[in-house]
Amino acid sequence: AMRDFTLLDPRLGTLEQLRALTSEAHALGMYVIVDVVMNHMGNAFAFEGNLEGVTHFRMHEKEEYRLALRNDSEIVLHDTPAGSQPYMDFWYNNTWDPEGTYGGPVYGKWGESSVDTGRGTYTESDFHHNGDLIDYTSPWEITMGKIYGSMDDLRLESRRVQEKYIAMTKALISSADIDGFRVDTPMQVPLEFFKAWAPAIREHAQSLGKGKFGIFGEFFVEAERFATMTGRGKKPD
C-alpha cells in the first residue's frame, strides 16, 4: 500500500518516463487516467493493547485506541515537524481531545445518513484511531475503520488532511500532465472530503488548460448508497 503520495514506485518507472508516456498518448489523441487511493496508506501502526489479531471498532469516550508503531524492520522513520514518523507527510498524534468530533454526515449500506453527536477523539492525528473495519454496513466503521486490519486509515474529515491530499494530487496533475483520476473505494471516504477535493482539483486542472478533467470511482455498493455520492455539483455543460 501507499507510503508516500508524492513519489512514484521505482518498479514502475520514473517521473520522466511517465511524462513521456502521457506526451505520447496525447499525441495519439488519448487521455491518461491515474488510479488514486485516498482513505488508506501502508501498515505502519497497530492499536495499543491489540498488537495482534482483530481490533474491534470504537468511537469516543476514551475508548478509542492510541497508535503504536509495528515491530517491522521495513518501517523507516522520517524526521518531520511532528517528530519521528513512519510517513513523511501524514503524522500520528496520541493526544486525546475530549471535545473532538467527526461531524458528518456519513452513509451506510442503504444510503442512510448518520451525524456524529459524541465527543472525544485524537483530533490532531492525521489517522483514525478507531480499530478495524469489520462491519461494512456501519456508516462510521466503513468510513473510519482500518480496512483488512492492515491499511492505516487517514482522517479525511479533517481539513488539515484534506489540504495535504489536495496539494499532492495537484502536484501529480502538474508534474505528470495526466487527464483524470480513477478513485479507489470512494464509498469508504466521507462525502465532505470530496466536496473539498473535487472542486479544488478541477479548478487546478482548468488552470492548466484541462477543462474536462475526469473524475470517476469504483462503487461496489447498493444503488441507494451510490446515489449519495453521484449527481452532485454538476454543471449544465
Side-chain angles (χ1 to χ4, degrees), residues 7-150:
L7 300 177
L8 297 180
D9 189 329
R11 295 172 297 181
L12 302 178
T14 65
L15 178 58
E16 290 73 21
Q17 289 171 323
L18 178 55
R19 281 294 299 236
L21 183 151
T22 55
S23 295
E24 185 65 23
H26 292 163
L28 296 171
M30 300 170 65
Y31 295 114
V32 176
I33 310 296
V34 171
D35 184 88
V36 288
V37 178
M38 294 166 174
N39 63 319
H40 54 260
M41 297 189 72
N43 190 23
F45 302 120
F47 300 102
E48 282 192 0
N50 294 267
L51 300 183
E52 301 291 339
V54 174
T55 303
H56 294 287
F57 188 84
R58 295 176 177 176
M59 285 178 67
H60 297 314
E61 297 176 358
K62 290 199 175 182
E63 292 185 354
E64 297 182 11
Y65 305 91
R66 291 169 57 89
L67 295 183
L69 289 176
R70 290 186 176 278
N71 184 17
D72 187 337
S73 60
E74 293 187 3
I75 295 176
V76 176
L77 295 180
H78 305 279
D79 186 17
T80 77
S84 294
Q85 296 279 341
Y87 300 110
M88 183 67 77
D89 299 296
F90 294 100
W91 312 320
Y92 79 105
N93 186 323
N94 281 324
T95 303
W96 179 255
D97 174 9
E99 296 301 316
T101 184
Y102 294 101
V106 296
Y107 297 90
K109 179 179 180 180
W110 303 105
E112 70 278 17
S113 65
S114 181
V115 175
D116 186 24
T117 59
R119 288 290 184 273
T121 183
Y122 294 93
T123 306
E124 294 305 310
S125 182
D126 289 345
F127 295 89
H128 287 131
H129 292 229
N130 306 88
D132 295 340
L133 169 53
I134 302 169
D135 181 3
Y136 283 75
T137 67
S138 164
W140 293 106
E141 196 163 330
I142 197 170
T143 305
M144 305 187 308
K146 184 166 181 172
I147 188 171
Y148 310 134
S150 62

Side-chain angles (χ1 to χ4, degrees), residues 207-226:
S207 74
L208 300 175
K210 298 178 182 291
K212 294 187 180 294
F213 191 85
I215 300 176
F216 65 99
E218 160 203 17
F219 285 95
F220 189 65
V221 292
E222 303 293 339
E224 293 87 347
R225 176 69 177 91
F226 174 80

